[in-house]
């Protein structure tokens, strides 16, 4: 899956970046951070979460996250990634799928929570929640569905931590 933003295209699976059709050299760790941020743009990603996703099982300092975010900002501009004090980082640039499909979240980054419906009249907690969610999803474009699913995952994760 490729996503386009500004003059860039990013292949989420291959972790490759191009600008105006020319390949841009991007090291593996910044590319993994970019994949995490860009596939879940409505979520604020904590330094701890980024460390666990990008450096699993390794002991590295939070400074490495700061350095890699700085590298990404140097490429895309300061407005691309917003810092939330003591919370984390969030992708800010609008992205469009290059091939018309919704962005595929890499398996290691996929949320564990069940999807919720963007339609407040749909009861996703009841017995018919799967059917209701499917009906609501059929009526909504992916630009609405993906952020709702990401927000649901973030909220679930937040409450799991508290």
């Amino acid at each position: 899956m490729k996503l386009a933003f500004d003059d860039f295209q990013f292949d989420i699976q291959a972790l490759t970046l191009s600008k105006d059709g020319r390949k841009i050299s991007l090291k593996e760790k910044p590319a993994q951070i970019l994949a995490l941020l860009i596939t879940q743009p409505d979520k604020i990603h904590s330094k701890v979460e980024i460390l666990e996703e990008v450096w699993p099982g390794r002991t590295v300092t939070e400074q490495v996250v700061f350095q890699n975010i700085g590298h990404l900002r140097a490429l895309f501009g300061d407005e691309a990634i917003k810092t939330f004090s003591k919370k984390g980082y969030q992708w800010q640039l609008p992205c469009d799928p290059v091939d018309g499909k919704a962005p595929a979240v890499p398996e290691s980054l996929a949320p564990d929570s069940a999807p919720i419906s963007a339609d407040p009249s749909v009861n996703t907690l009841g017995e018919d929640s799967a059917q209701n969610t499917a009906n609501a999803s059929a009526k909504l474009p992916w630009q609405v569905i993906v952020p709702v699913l990401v927000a649901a995952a973030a909220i679930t994760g937040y409450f799991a931590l508290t």
Side-chain angles (χ1 to χ4, degrees):
M1 173 71 214
K2 289 184 181 180
L3 291 176
F5 53 94
D6 286 346
D7 297 330
F8 294 94
Q9 285 189 359
F10 182 66
D11 186 322
I12 295 168
Q13 279 76 35
L15 297 177
T16 57
L17 180 68
S18 61
K19 181 176 182 180
D20 297 326
R22 293 187 199 109
K23 188 174 180 179
I24 299 206
S25 178
L26 185 61
K27 293 183 179 182
E28 180 183 4
K29 297 306 181 185
Q32 289 176 339
I33 292 172
L34 177 59
L36 176 67
L37 295 174
I38 206 169
T39 57
Q40 300 176 30
D42 292 338
K43 181 177 179 186
I44 298 172
H45 302 272
S46 70
K47 286 182 185 177
V48 171
E49 175 191 347
I50 294 170
L51 288 170
E52 290 172 356
E53 291 292 335
V54 179
W55 290 272
R58 296 193 51 203
T59 303
V60 294
T61 67
E62 290 181 354
Q63 182 66 22
V64 76
V65 173
F66 177 76
Q67 291 170 340
N68 281 280
I69 293 289
H71 179 70
L72 293 173
R73 285 182 173 144
L75 281 172
F76 308 125
D78 289 338
E79 70 281 351
I81 302 169
K82 183 174 182 177
T83 301
F84 290 85
S85 182
K86 300 186 182 187
K87 291 182 182 179
Y89 303 96
Q90 183 182 44
W91 186 254
Q92 298 294 301
L93 300 179
C95 297
D96 295 310
V98 173
D99 57 9
K101 296 179 184 175
V105 179
E107 283 184 33
S108 66
L109 305 177
D112 293 332
S113 65
I116 62 169
S117 172
D119 183 351
S121 67
V122 175
N123 176 11
T124 59
L125 300 176
E127 294 176 9
D128 298 325
S129 64
Q131 181 64 36
N132 289 338
T133 303
N135 289 342
S137 298
K139 298 175 188 172
L140 296 171
W142 71 268
Q143 293 94 336
V144 173
I145 296 168
V146 171
V148 170
L149 293 175
V150 170
I155 291 168
T156 302
Y158 173 80
F159 285 113
L161 295 173
T162 55

